[in-house]
Amino acid sequence: MPTPNRPSGHINMAMTLDGFVARDDHSLDWLMKQPNAEDPSFAEFSARMDVIVMGSGSLRTVMGFEPWPYELPVIVLSRSMTTDDLPEALREKVEIRTDSPQDLMAVLHERGVRRVYVDGGAVIQSFLAEGLIDEFNVAIVPILIGSGIRIFGDINADIDLKQKSVQRYDNGIVRLTYTTAEGTGG
Ligand SMILES: NC(=O)c1ccc[n+]([C@@H]2O[C@H](COP(=O)([O-])OP(=O)(O)OC[C@H]3O[C@@H](n4cnc5c(N)ncnc54)[C@H](OP(=O)(O)O)[C@@H]3O)[C@@H](O)[C@H]2O)c1
């Protein structure tokens, strides 16, 4: 573990070669149209995680998915949504909270959570800004879309990374895994 005082943070995203995780309207058509876009290593990644934390932007996208795509418990950070906005079927599966990333990690630490899968766009950026991401899994999809929601945003200081693995798939997707220079990625 990178620090004994909090769970480790992990991202696992598909990104266009020009650095976007969704179009401006949140659509993922560019990803869905890829042949065999499913990442074979995702199941192994998911099995290592204890909980998913995402923002309301990502929840709004996945709420439309049938069936619900996650087996892990899901925590959604939002100041605009409450449980009342969730369909009945999701009220047991999704916890909505308003904590800062630091505070949420402290709460999860108290609950015995060791590894947090941090998902979304703005939420990943806010965890990154607070130094809470330890492992980066990025699948680069062979497409340029010109504009959209960025995977990474502004940061105050450089973050040095260590390469952990590179996987190349026949469909043109390349999956890169990095950890922060001082961590093991949990
Ligand atoms: N390509 C991929 O692999 C991949 C993976 C996951 C998601 N996605 C897509 O990427 C897009 C990301 O969009 P997004 O950036 O809007 O999503 P997001 O990070 O999931 O949600 C952002 C929203 O979360 C709320 N929030 C609460 N606390 C926050 C905090 N500390 N930091 C940041 N946001 C906080 C805010 O809304 P409130 O007003 O509700 O507080 C904020 O607008 C989505 O369309 C999603 O479907 C793509």
mmCIF file with all atom_site columns, all heavy atoms in Angstrom, residues 13-14 21-22 26 28 30-31 54-58 61 77-80 101 119-123 126 149, ligand 1:
data_model
loop_
_atom_site.group_PDB
_atom_site.id
_atom_site.type_symbol
_atom_site.label_atom_id
_atom_site.label_alt_id
_atom_site.label_comp_id
_atom_site.label_asym_id
_atom_site.label_entity_id
_atom_site.label_seq_id
_atom_site.pdbx_PDB_ins_code
_atom_site.Cartn_x
_atom_site.Cartn_y
_atom_site.Cartn_z
_atom_site.occupancy
_atom_site.B_iso_or_equiv
_atom_site.pdbx_formal_charge
_atom_site.auth_seq_id
_atom_site.auth_comp_id
_atom_site.auth_asym_id
_atom_site.auth_atom_id
_atom_site.pdbx_PDB_model_num
ATOM   1   N N   . MET A 1 13  ? -9.482  3.282  -17.370 1.00 0.00 ? 13  MET A N   1
ATOM   2   C CA  . MET A 1 13  ? -10.284 4.046  -18.320 1.00 0.00 ? 13  MET A CA  1
ATOM   3   C C   . MET A 1 13  ? -9.939  3.691  -19.750 1.00 0.00 ? 13  MET A C   1
ATOM   4   O O   . MET A 1 13  ? -8.801  3.321  -20.045 1.00 0.00 ? 13  MET A O   1
ATOM   5   C CB  . MET A 1 13  ? -9.968  5.544  -18.170 1.00 0.00 ? 13  MET A CB  1
ATOM   6   C CG  . MET A 1 13  ? -10.186 6.106  -16.803 1.00 0.00 ? 13  MET A CG  1
ATOM   7   S SD  . MET A 1 13  ? -11.901 6.176  -16.361 1.00 0.00 ? 13  MET A SD  1
ATOM   8   C CE  . MET A 1 13  ? -12.479 7.509  -17.398 1.00 0.00 ? 13  MET A CE  1
ATOM   9   N N   . ALA A 1 14  ? -10.932 3.861  -20.619 1.00 0.00 ? 14  ALA A N   1
ATOM   10  C CA  . ALA A 1 14  ? -10.660 3.812  -22.054 1.00 0.00 ? 14  ALA A CA  1
ATOM   11  C C   . ALA A 1 14  ? -10.589 5.257  -22.536 1.00 0.00 ? 14  ALA A C   1
ATOM   12  O O   . ALA A 1 14  ? -11.446 6.077  -22.197 1.00 0.00 ? 14  ALA A O   1
ATOM   13  C CB  . ALA A 1 14  ? -11.774 3.072  -22.781 1.00 0.00 ? 14  ALA A CB  1
ATOM   14  N N   . VAL A 1 21  ? -12.384 10.815 -22.613 1.00 0.00 ? 21  VAL A N   1
ATOM   15  C CA  . VAL A 1 21  ? -13.071 9.614  -22.100 1.00 0.00 ? 21  VAL A CA  1
ATOM   16  C C   . VAL A 1 21  ? -14.534 9.573  -22.518 1.00 0.00 ? 21  VAL A C   1
ATOM   17  O O   . VAL A 1 21  ? -15.205 8.558  -22.343 1.00 0.00 ? 21  VAL A O   1
ATOM   18  C CB  . VAL A 1 21  ? -12.975 9.504  -20.562 1.00 0.00 ? 21  VAL A CB  1
ATOM   19  C CG1 . VAL A 1 21  ? -11.536 9.255  -20.146 1.00 0.00 ? 21  VAL A CG1 1
ATOM   20  C CG2 . VAL A 1 21  ? -13.540 10.725 -19.868 1.00 0.00 ? 21  VAL A CG2 1
ATOM   21  N N   . ALA A 1 22  ? -15.046 10.679 -23.010 1.00 0.00 ? 22  ALA A N   1
ATOM   22  C CA  . ALA A 1 22  ? -16.433 10.733 -23.514 1.00 0.00 ? 22  ALA A CA  1
ATOM   23  C C   . ALA A 1 22  ? -16.532 11.981 -24.388 1.00 0.00 ? 22  ALA A C   1
ATOM   24  O O   . ALA A 1 22  ? -15.704 12.892 -24.278 1.00 0.00 ? 22  ALA A O   1
ATOM   25  C CB  . ALA A 1 22  ? -17.420 10.835 -22.359 1.00 0.00 ? 22  ALA A CB  1
ATOM   26  N N   . HIS A 1 26  ? -21.389 13.391 -23.365 1.00 0.00 ? 26  HIS A N   1
ATOM   27  C CA  . HIS A 1 26  ? -21.201 12.179 -22.556 1.00 0.00 ? 26  HIS A CA  1
ATOM   28  C C   . HIS A 1 26  ? -21.320 10.893 -23.365 1.00 0.00 ? 26  HIS A C   1
ATOM   29  O O   . HIS A 1 26  ? -21.262 9.802  -22.803 1.00 0.00 ? 26  HIS A O   1
ATOM   30  C CB  . HIS A 1 26  ? -22.157 12.123 -21.347 1.00 0.00 ? 26  HIS A CB  1
ATOM   31  C CG  . HIS A 1 26  ? -21.808 13.124 -20.277 1.00 0.00 ? 26  HIS A CG  1
ATOM   32  N ND1 . HIS A 1 26  ? -21.133 12.776 -19.135 1.00 0.00 ? 26  HIS A ND1 1
ATOM   33  C CD2 . HIS A 1 26  ? -22.011 14.446 -20.209 1.00 0.00 ? 26  HIS A CD2 1
ATOM   34  C CE1 . HIS A 1 26  ? -20.955 13.869 -18.397 1.00 0.00 ? 26  HIS A CE1 1
ATOM   35  N NE2 . HIS A 1 26  ? -21.485 14.893 -19.039 1.00 0.00 ? 26  HIS A NE2 1
ATOM   36  N N   . LEU A 1 28  ? -20.545 7.623  -25.599 1.00 0.00 ? 28  LEU A N   1
ATOM   37  C CA  . LEU A 1 28  ? -19.413 6.688  -25.680 1.00 0.00 ? 28  LEU A CA  1
ATOM   38  C C   . LEU A 1 28  ? -19.482 5.897  -26.978 1.00 0.00 ? 28  LEU A C   1
ATOM   39  O O   . LEU A 1 28  ? -18.924 4.809  -27.082 1.00 0.00 ? 28  LEU A O   1
ATOM   40  C CB  . LEU A 1 28  ? -19.456 5.713  -24.488 1.00 0.00 ? 28  LEU A CB  1
ATOM   41  C CG  . LEU A 1 28  ? -19.346 6.333  -23.092 1.00 0.00 ? 28  LEU A CG  1
ATOM   42  C CD1 . LEU A 1 28  ? -19.614 5.283  -22.019 1.00 0.00 ? 28  LEU A CD1 1
ATOM   43  C CD2 . LEU A 1 28  ? -17.970 6.965  -22.874 1.00 0.00 ? 28  LEU A CD2 1
ATOM   44  N N   . TRP A 1 30  ? -18.007 6.236  -29.732 1.00 0.00 ? 30  TRP A N   1
ATOM   45  C CA  . TRP A 1 30  ? -16.668 5.982  -30.286 1.00 0.00 ? 30  TRP A CA  1
ATOM   46  C C   . TRP A 1 30  ? -16.046 4.736  -29.673 1.00 0.00 ? 30  TRP A C   1
ATOM   47  O O   . TRP A 1 30  ? -15.255 4.053  -30.313 1.00 0.00 ? 30  TRP A O   1
ATOM   48  C CB  . TRP A 1 30  ? -15.752 7.195  -30.029 1.00 0.00 ? 30  TRP A CB  1
ATOM   49  C CG  . TRP A 1 30  ? -15.689 7.571  -28.578 1.00 0.00 ? 30  TRP A CG  1
ATOM   50  C CD1 . TRP A 1 30  ? -16.539 8.410  -27.904 1.00 0.00 ? 30  TRP A CD1 1
ATOM   51  C CD2 . TRP A 1 30  ? -14.785 7.064  -27.583 1.00 0.00 ? 30  TRP A CD2 1
ATOM   52  N NE1 . TRP A 1 30  ? -16.206 8.466  -26.572 1.00 0.00 ? 30  TRP A NE1 1
ATOM   53  C CE2 . TRP A 1 30  ? -15.136 7.653  -26.344 1.00 0.00 ? 30  TRP A CE2 1
ATOM   54  C CE3 . TRP A 1 30  ? -13.706 6.188  -27.623 1.00 0.00 ? 30  TRP A CE3 1
ATOM   55  C CZ2 . TRP A 1 30  ? -14.458 7.384  -25.159 1.00 0.00 ? 30  TRP A CZ2 1
ATOM   56  C CZ3 . TRP A 1 30  ? -13.022 5.913  -26.436 1.00 0.00 ? 30  TRP A CZ3 1
ATOM   57  C CH2 . TRP A 1 30  ? -13.413 6.500  -25.230 1.00 0.00 ? 30  TRP A CH2 1
ATOM   58  N N   . LEU A 1 31  ? -16.439 4.417  -28.432 1.00 0.00 ? 31  LEU A N   1
ATOM   59  C CA  . LEU A 1 31  ? -15.904 3.238  -27.748 1.00 0.00 ? 31  LEU A CA  1
ATOM   60  C C   . LEU A 1 31  ? -16.734 2.001  -28.107 1.00 0.00 ? 31  LEU A C   1
ATOM   61  O O   . LEU A 1 31  ? -16.198 0.939  -28.420 1.00 0.00 ? 31  LEU A O   1
ATOM   62  C CB  . LEU A 1 31  ? -15.942 3.495  -26.233 1.00 0.00 ? 31  LEU A CB  1
ATOM   63  C CG  . LEU A 1 31  ? -15.468 2.382  -25.322 1.00 0.00 ? 31  LEU A CG  1
ATOM   64  C CD1 . LEU A 1 31  ? -14.011 1.992  -25.620 1.00 0.00 ? 31  LEU A CD1 1
ATOM   65  C CD2 . LEU A 1 31  ? -15.592 2.807  -23.858 1.00 0.00 ? 31  LEU A CD2 1
ATOM   66  N N   . MET A 1 54  ? -17.534 7.024  -8.190  1.00 0.00 ? 54  MET A N   1
ATOM   67  C CA  . MET A 1 54  ? -17.670 7.775  -9.449  1.00 0.00 ? 54  MET A CA  1
ATOM   68  C C   . MET A 1 54  ? -18.459 9.059  -9.179  1.00 0.00 ? 54  MET A C   1
ATOM   69  O O   . MET A 1 54  ? -19.012 9.246  -8.090  1.00 0.00 ? 54  MET A O   1
ATOM   70  C CB  . MET A 1 54  ? -18.385 6.926  -10.514 1.00 0.00 ? 54  MET A CB  1
ATOM   71  C CG  . MET A 1 54  ? -19.824 6.595  -10.190 1.00 0.00 ? 54  MET A CG  1
ATOM   72  S SD  . MET A 1 54  ? -20.670 5.678  -11.505 1.00 0.00 ? 54  MET A SD  1
ATOM   73  C CE  . MET A 1 54  ? -19.869 4.112  -11.452 1.00 0.00 ? 54  MET A CE  1
ATOM   74  N N   . GLY A 1 55  ? -18.505 9.920  -10.181 1.00 0.00 ? 55  GLY A N   1
ATOM   75  C CA  . GLY A 1 55  ? -19.278 11.147 -10.057 1.00 0.00 ? 55  GLY A CA  1
ATOM   76  C C   . GLY A 1 55  ? -20.657 10.966 -10.677 1.00 0.00 ? 55  GLY A C   1
ATOM   77  O O   . GLY A 1 55  ? -20.956 9.941  -11.311 1.00 0.00 ? 55  GLY A O   1
ATOM   78  N N   . SER A 1 56  ? -21.494 11.994 -10.492 1.00 0.00 ? 56  SER A N   1
ATOM   79  C CA  . SER A 1 56  ? -22.865 11.895 -10.999 1.00 0.00 ? 56  SER A CA  1
ATOM   80  C C   . SER A 1 56  ? -22.894 11.849 -12.526 1.00 0.00 ? 56  SER A C   1
ATOM   81  O O   . SER A 1 56  ? -23.820 11.273 -13.109 1.00 0.00 ? 56  SER A O   1
ATOM   82  C CB  . SER A 1 56  ? -23.685 13.078 -10.492 1.00 0.00 ? 56  SER A CB  1
ATOM   83  O OG  . SER A 1 56  ? -23.049 14.293 -10.851 1.00 0.00 ? 56  SER A OG  1
ATOM   84  N N   . GLY A 1 57  ? -21.863 12.428 -13.184 1.00 0.00 ? 57  GLY A N   1
ATOM   85  C CA  . GLY A 1 57  ? -21.824 12.383 -14.660 1.00 0.00 ? 57  GLY A CA  1
ATOM   86  C C   . GLY A 1 57  ? -21.750 10.945 -15.141 1.00 0.00 ? 57  GLY A C   1
ATOM   87  O O   . GLY A 1 57  ? -22.490 10.538 -16.055 1.00 0.00 ? 57  GLY A O   1
ATOM   88  N N   . SER A 1 58  ? -20.904 10.158 -14.519 1.00 0.00 ? 58  SER A N   1
ATOM   89  C CA  . SER A 1 58  ? -20.768 8.757  -14.918 1.00 0.00 ? 58  SER A CA  1
ATOM   90  C C   . SER A 1 58  ? -21.996 7.957  -14.510 1.00 0.00 ? 58  SER A C   1
ATOM   91  O O   . SER A 1 58  ? -22.452 7.089  -15.251 1.00 0.00 ? 58  SER A O   1
ATOM   92  C CB  . SER A 1 58  ? -19.518 8.144  -14.291 1.00 0.00 ? 58  SER A CB  1
ATOM   93  O OG  . SER A 1 58  ? -18.394 8.825  -14.766 1.00 0.00 ? 58  SER A OG  1
ATOM   94  N N   . THR A 1 61  ? -24.694 8.197  -17.017 1.00 0.00 ? 61  THR A N   1
ATOM   95  C CA  . THR A 1 61  ? -24.468 7.349  -18.201 1.00 0.00 ? 61  THR A CA  1
ATOM   96  C C   . THR A 1 61  ? -24.812 5.899  -17.890 1.00 0.00 ? 61  THR A C   1
ATOM   97  O O   . THR A 1 61  ? -25.567 5.261  -18.628 1.00 0.00 ? 61  THR A O   1
ATOM   98  C CB  . THR A 1 61  ? -22.990 7.426  -18.663 1.00 0.00 ? 61  THR A CB  1
ATOM   99  O OG1 . THR A 1 61  ? -22.647 8.783  -18.893 1.00 0.00 ? 61  THR A OG1 1
ATOM   100 C CG2 . THR A 1 61  ? -22.753 6.618  -19.922 1.00 0.00 ? 61  THR A CG2 1
ATOM   101 N N   . LEU A 1 77  ? -20.295 10.414 -5.859  1.00 0.00 ? 77  LEU A N   1
ATOM   102 C CA  . LEU A 1 77  ? -20.122 11.746 -5.279  1.00 0.00 ? 77  LEU A CA  1
ATOM   103 C C   . LEU A 1 77  ? -21.016 12.713 -6.039  1.00 0.00 ? 77  LEU A C   1
ATOM   104 O O   . LEU A 1 77  ? -20.921 12.812 -7.272  1.00 0.00 ? 77  LEU A O   1
ATOM   105 C CB  . LEU A 1 77  ? -18.659 12.180 -5.391  1.00 0.00 ? 77  LEU A CB  1
ATOM   106 C CG  . LEU A 1 77  ? -17.702 11.469 -4.443  1.00 0.00 ? 77  LEU A CG  1
ATOM   107 C CD1 . LEU A 1 77  ? -16.260 11.894 -4.714  1.00 0.00 ? 77  LEU A CD1 1
ATOM   108 C CD2 . LEU A 1 77  ? -18.069 11.737 -2.984  1.00 0.00 ? 77  LEU A CD2 1
ATOM   109 N N   . SER A 1 78  ? -21.893 13.373 -5.322  1.00 0.00 ? 78  SER A N   1
ATOM   110 C CA  . SER A 1 78  ? -22.786 14.335 -5.985  1.00 0.00 ? 78  SER A CA  1
ATOM   111 C C   . SER A 1 78  ? -23.386 15.292 -4.976  1.00 0.00 ? 78  SER A C   1
ATOM   112 O O   . SER A 1 78  ? -23.793 14.888 -3.890  1.00 0.00 ? 78  SER A O   1
ATOM   113 C CB  . SER A 1 78  ? -23.916 13.604 -6.706  1.00 0.00 ? 78  SER A CB  1
ATOM   114 O OG  . SER A 1 78  ? -24.783 14.555 -7.292  1.00 0.00 ? 78  SER A OG  1
ATOM   115 N N   . ARG A 1 79  ? -23.465 16.557 -5.404  1.00 0.00 ? 79  ARG A N   1
ATOM   116 C CA  . ARG A 1 79  ? -24.185 17.551 -4.600  1.00 0.00 ? 79  ARG A CA  1
ATOM   117 C C   . ARG A 1 79  ? -25.553 17.819 -5.203  1.00 0.00 ? 79  ARG A C   1
ATOM   118 O O   . ARG A 1 79  ? -26.356 18.518 -4.618  1.00 0.00 ? 79  ARG A O   1
ATOM   119 C CB  . ARG A 1 79  ? -23.382 18.854 -4.532  1.00 0.00 ? 79  ARG A CB  1
ATOM   120 C CG  . ARG A 1 79  ? -22.085 18.672 -3.766  1.00 0.00 ? 79  ARG A CG  1
ATOM   121 C CD  . ARG A 1 79  ? -21.509 19.966 -3.201  1.00 0.00 ? 79  ARG A CD  1
ATOM   122 N NE  . ARG A 1 79  ? -20.732 19.698 -2.007  1.00 0.00 ? 79  ARG A NE  1
ATOM   123 C CZ  . ARG A 1 79  ? -19.552 19.068 -2.010  1.00 0.00 ? 79  ARG A CZ  1
ATOM   124 N NH1 . ARG A 1 79  ? -19.025 18.667 -3.149  1.00 0.00 ? 79  ARG A NH1 1
ATOM   125 N NH2 . ARG A 1 79  ? -18.906 18.859 -0.878  1.00 0.00 ? 79  ARG A NH2 1
ATOM   126 N N   . SER A 1 80  ? -25.795 17.273 -6.417  1.00 0.00 ? 80  SER A N   1
ATOM   127 C CA  . SER A 1 80  ? -27.066 17.566 -7.093  1.00 0.00 ? 80  SER A CA  1
ATOM   128 C C   . SER A 1 80  ? -28.044 16.403 -7.027  1.00 0.00 ? 80  SER A C   1
ATOM   129 O O   . SER A 1 80  ? -29.218 16.572 -7.316  1.00 0.00 ? 80  SER A O   1
ATOM   130 C CB  . SER A 1 80  ? -26.809 17.917 -8.561  1.00 0.00 ? 80  SER A CB  1
ATOM   131 O OG  . SER A 1 80  ? -26.313 16.778 -9.258  1.00 0.00 ? 80  SER A OG  1
ATOM   132 N N   . PRO A 1 101 ? -12.693 14.191 -1.770  1.00 0.00 ? 101 PRO A N   1
ATOM   133 C CA  . PRO A 1 101 ? -11.950 12.935 -1.971  1.00 0.00 ? 101 PRO A CA  1
ATOM   134 C C   . PRO A 1 101 ? -11.176 12.491 -0.730  1.00 0.00 ? 101 PRO A C   1
ATOM   135 O O   . PRO A 1 101 ? -11.230 11.328 -0.343  1.00 0.00 ? 101 PRO A O   1
ATOM   136 C CB  . PRO A 1 101 ? -11.014 13.276 -3.141  1.00 0.00 ? 101 PRO A CB  1
ATOM   137 C CG  . PRO A 1 101 ? -11.789 14.290 -3.935  1.00 0.00 ? 101 PRO A CG  1
ATOM   138 C CD  . PRO A 1 101 ? -12.496 15.124 -2.904  1.00 0.00 ? 101 PRO A CD  1
ATOM   139 N N   . ASP A 1 119 ? -13.664 6.265  -10.760 1.00 0.00 ? 119 ASP A N   1
ATOM   140 C CA  . ASP A 1 119 ? -14.134 6.320  -12.149 1.00 0.00 ? 119 ASP A CA  1
ATOM   141 C C   . ASP A 1 119 ? -14.770 7.682  -12.420 1.00 0.00 ? 119 ASP A C   1
ATOM   142 O O   . ASP A 1 119 ? -15.218 8.370  -11.509 1.00 0.00 ? 119 ASP A O   1
ATOM   143 C CB  . ASP A 1 119 ? -15.165 5.195  -12.355 1.00 0.00 ? 119 ASP A CB  1
ATOM   144 C CG  . ASP A 1 119 ? -15.229 4.731  -13.797 1.00 0.00 ? 119 ASP A CG  1
ATOM   145 O OD1 . ASP A 1 119 ? -14.288 5.021  -14.562 1.00 0.00 ? 119 ASP A OD1 1
ATOM   146 O OD2 . ASP A 1 119 ? -16.219 4.070  -14.154 1.00 0.00 ? 119 ASP A OD2 1
ATOM   147 N N   . GLY A 1 120 ? -14.805 8.046  -13.697 1.00 0.00 ? 120 GLY A N   1
ATOM   148 C CA  . GLY A 1 120 ? -15.446 9.303  -14.082 1.00 0.00 ? 120 GLY A CA  1
ATOM   149 C C   . GLY A 1 120 ? -14.487 10.185 -14.842 1.00 0.00 ? 120 GLY A C   1
ATOM   150 O O   . GLY A 1 120 ? -13.513 9.706  -15.436 1.00 0.00 ? 120 GLY A O   1
ATOM   151 N N   . GLY A 1 121 ? -14.742 11.474 -14.832 1.00 0.00 ? 121 GLY A N   1
ATOM   152 C CA  . GLY A 1 121 ? -13.863 12.441 -15.478 1.00 0.00 ? 121 GLY A CA  1
ATOM   153 C C   . GLY A 1 121 ? -13.424 13.436 -14.404 1.00 0.00 ? 121 GLY A C   1
ATOM   154 O O   . GLY A 1 121 ? -12.324 13.372 -13.859 1.00 0.00 ? 121 GLY A O   1
ATOM   155 N N   . ALA A 1 122 ? -14.350 14.346 -14.059 1.00 0.00 ? 122 ALA A N   1
ATOM   156 C CA  . ALA A 1 122 ? -14.052 15.360 -13.045 1.00 0.00 ? 122 ALA A CA  1
ATOM   157 C C   . ALA A 1 122 ? -13.670 14.717 -11.710 1.00 0.00 ? 122 ALA A C   1
ATOM   158 O O   . ALA A 1 122 ? -12.798 15.229 -10.993 1.00 0.00 ? 122 ALA A O   1
ATOM   159 C CB  . ALA A 1 122 ? -15.267 16.277 -12.862 1.00 0.00 ? 122 ALA A CB  1
ATOM   160 N N   . VAL A 1 123 ? -14.294 13.596 -11.382 1.00 0.00 ? 123 VAL A N   1
ATOM   161 C CA  . VAL A 1 123 ? -13.977 12.962 -10.094 1.00 0.00 ? 123 VAL A CA  1
ATOM   162 C C   . VAL A 1 123 ? -12.551 12.425 -10.091 1.00 0.00 ? 123 VAL A C   1
ATOM   163 O O   . VAL A 1 123 ? -11.807 12.601 -9.124  1.00 0.00 ? 123 VAL A O   1
ATOM   164 C CB  . VAL A 1 123 ? -15.016 11.870 -9.749  1.00 0.00 ? 123 VAL A CB  1
ATOM   165 C CG1 . VAL A 1 123 ? -14.473 10.887 -8.725  1.00 0.00 ? 123 VAL A CG1 1
ATOM   166 C CG2 . VAL A 1 123 ? -16.274 12.531 -9.197  1.00 0.00 ? 123 VAL A CG2 1
ATOM   167 N N   . SER A 1 126 ? -10.276 15.276 -9.520  1.00 0.00 ? 126 SER A N   1
ATOM   168 C CA  . SER A 1 126 ? -10.202 15.805 -8.154  1.00 0.00 ? 126 SER A CA  1
ATOM   169 C C   . SER A 1 126 ? -9.442  14.848 -7.228  1.00 0.00 ? 126 SER A C   1
ATOM   170 O O   . SER A 1 126 ? -8.740  15.298 -6.321  1.00 0.00 ? 126 SER A O   1
ATOM   171 C CB  . SER A 1 126 ? -11.593 16.161 -7.603  1.00 0.00 ? 126 SER A CB  1
ATOM   172 O OG  . SER A 1 126 ? -12.378 15.028 -7.489  1.00 0.00 ? 126 SER A OG  1
ATOM   173 N N   . ILE A 1 149 ? -14.695 15.154 -23.054 1.00 0.00 ? 149 ILE A N   1
ATOM   174 C CA  . ILE A 1 149 ? -14.348 15.262 -21.634 1.00 0.00 ? 149 ILE A CA  1
ATOM   175 C C   . ILE A 1 149 ? -12.969 14.653 -21.447 1.00 0.00 ? 149 ILE A C   1
ATOM   176 O O   . ILE A 1 149 ? -12.735 13.506 -21.833 1.00 0.00 ? 149 ILE A O   1
ATOM   177 C CB  . ILE A 1 149 ? -15.400 14.534 -20.778 1.00 0.00 ? 149 ILE A CB  1
ATOM   178 C CG1 . ILE A 1 149 ? -16.772 15.205 -20.968 1.00 0.00 ? 149 ILE A CG1 1
ATOM   179 C CG2 . ILE A 1 149 ? -14.996 14.528 -19.302 1.00 0.00 ? 149 ILE A CG2 1
ATOM   180 C CD1 . ILE A 1 149 ? -17.929 14.469 -20.332 1.00 0.00 ? 149 ILE A CD1 1
HETATM 181 N N1  . LIG B 2 .   ? -14.024 6.022  -21.354 1.00 0.00 ? 1   LIG B N1  1
HETATM 182 C C1  . LIG B 2 .   ? -14.156 5.451  -20.186 1.00 0.00 ? 1   LIG B C1  1
HETATM 183 O O1  . LIG B 2 .   ? -13.501 4.440  -19.854 1.00 0.00 ? 1   LIG B O1  1
HETATM 184 C C2  . LIG B 2 .   ? -15.099 6.042  -19.199 1.00 0.00 ? 1   LIG B C2  1
HETATM 185 C C3  . LIG B 2 .   ? -15.131 5.529  -17.902 1.00 0.00 ? 1   LIG B C3  1
HETATM 186 C C4  . LIG B 2 .   ? -15.961 6.121  -16.984 1.00 0.00 ? 1   LIG B C4  1
HETATM 187 C C5  . LIG B 2 .   ? -16.738 7.192  -17.336 1.00 0.00 ? 1   LIG B C5  1
HETATM 188 N N2  . LIG B 2 .   ? -16.718 7.643  -18.620 1.00 0.00 ? 1   LIG B N2  1
HETATM 189 C C6  . LIG B 2 .   ? -17.526 8.792  -19.034 1.00 0.00 ? 1   LIG B C6  1
HETATM 190 O O2  . LIG B 2 .   ? -16.755 9.951  -18.805 1.00 0.00 ? 1   LIG B O2  1
HETATM 191 C C7  . LIG B 2 .   ? -17.651 11.042 -18.552 1.00 0.00 ? 1   LIG B C7  1
HETATM 192 C C8  . LIG B 2 .   ? -17.137 11.768 -17.358 1.00 0.00 ? 1   LIG B C8  1
HETATM 193 O O3  . LIG B 2 .   ? -17.945 12.896 -17.152 1.00 0.00 ? 1   LIG B O3  1
HETATM 194 P P1  . LIG B 2 .   ? -17.866 13.792 -15.869 1.00 0.00 ? 1   LIG B P1  1
HETATM 195 O O4  . LIG B 2 .   ? -16.540 14.400 -15.735 1.00 0.00 ? 1   LIG B O4  1
HETATM 196 O O5  . LIG B 2 .   ? -19.070 14.678 -15.872 1.00 0.00 ? 1   LIG B O5  1
HETATM 197 O O6  . LIG B 2 .   ? -18.151 12.650 -14.789 1.00 0.00 ? 1   LIG B O6  1
HETATM 198 P P2  . LIG B 2 .   ? -17.918 12.339 -13.296 1.00 0.00 ? 1   LIG B P2  1
HETATM 199 O O7  . LIG B 2 .   ? -16.554 12.626 -12.844 1.00 0.00 ? 1   LIG B O7  1
HETATM 200 O O8  . LIG B 2 .   ? -18.435 10.958 -13.149 1.00 0.00 ? 1   LIG B O8  1
HETATM 201 O O9  . LIG B 2 .   ? -18.986 13.314 -12.551 1.00 0.00 ? 1   LIG B O9  1
HETATM 202 C C9  . LIG B 2 .   ? -18.701 14.656 -12.306 1.00 0.00 ? 1   LIG B C9  1
HETATM 203 C C10 . LIG B 2 .   ? -19.750 15.222 -11.349 1.00 0.00 ? 1   LIG B C10 1
HETATM 204 O O10 . LIG B 2 .   ? -19.632 14.593 -10.081 1.00 0.00 ? 1   LIG B O10 1
HETATM 205 C C11 . LIG B 2 .   ? -20.026 15.530 -9.065  1.00 0.00 ? 1   LIG B C11 1
HETATM 206 N N3  . LIG B 2 .   ? -18.984 15.623 -8.061  1.00 0.00 ? 1   LIG B N3  1
HETATM 207 C C12 . LIG B 2 .   ? -19.150 15.502 -6.724  1.00 0.00 ? 1   LIG B C12 1
HETATM 208 N N4  . LIG B 2 .   ? -18.018 15.584 -6.057  1.00 0.00 ? 1   LIG B N4  1
HETATM 209 C C13 . LIG B 2 .   ? -17.056 15.782 -6.960  1.00 0.00 ? 1   LIG B C13 1
HETATM 210 C C14 . LIG B 2 .   ? -15.666 15.953 -6.866  1.00 0.00 ? 1   LIG B C14 1
HETATM 211 N N5  . LIG B 2 .   ? -15.007 15.895 -5.715  1.00 0.00 ? 1   LIG B N5  1
HETATM 212 N N6  . LIG B 2 .   ? -14.987 16.154 -8.002  1.00 0.00 ? 1   LIG B N6  1
HETATM 213 C C15 . LIG B 2 .   ? -15.606 16.162 -9.183  1.00 0.00 ? 1   LIG B C15 1
HETATM 214 N N7  . LIG B 2 .   ? -16.952 16.005 -9.352  1.00 0.00 ? 1   LIG B N7  1
HETATM 215 C C16 . LIG B 2 .   ? -17.676 15.815 -8.226  1.00 0.00 ? 1   LIG B C16 1
HETATM 216 C C17 . LIG B 2 .   ? -20.301 16.845 -9.761  1.00 0.00 ? 1   LIG B C17 1
HETATM 217 O O11 . LIG B 2 .   ? -21.708 16.873 -10.023 1.00 0.00 ? 1   LIG B O11 1
HETATM 218 P P3  . LIG B 2 .   ? -22.845 17.259 -8.956  1.00 0.00 ? 1   LIG B P3  1
HETATM 219 O O12 . LIG B 2 .   ? -23.447 18.518 -9.476  1.00 0.00 ? 1   LIG B O12 1
HETATM 220 O O13 . LIG B 2 .   ? -23.806 16.109 -9.023  1.00 0.00 ? 1   LIG B O13 1
HETATM 221 O O14 . LIG B 2 .   ? -22.236 17.426 -7.609  1.00 0.00 ? 1   LIG B O14 1
HETATM 222 C C18 . LIG B 2 .   ? -19.575 16.696 -11.080 1.00 0.00 ? 1   LIG B C18 1
HETATM 223 O O15 . LIG B 2 .   ? -20.140 17.457 -12.110 1.00 0.00 ? 1   LIG B O15 1
HETATM 224 C C19 . LIG B 2 .   ? -19.037 10.440 -18.389 1.00 0.00 ? 1   LIG B C19 1
HETATM 225 O O16 . LIG B 2 .   ? -19.770 10.660 -19.551 1.00 0.00 ? 1   LIG B O16 1
HETATM 226 C C20 . LIG B 2 .   ? -18.785 8.958  -18.234 1.00 0.00 ? 1   LIG B C20 1
HETATM 227 O O17 . LIG B 2 .   ? -19.823 8.170  -18.729 1.00 0.00 ? 1   LIG B O17 1
HETATM 228 C C21 . LIG B 2 .   ? -15.893 7.107  -19.541 1.00 0.00 ? 1   LIG B C21 1
#
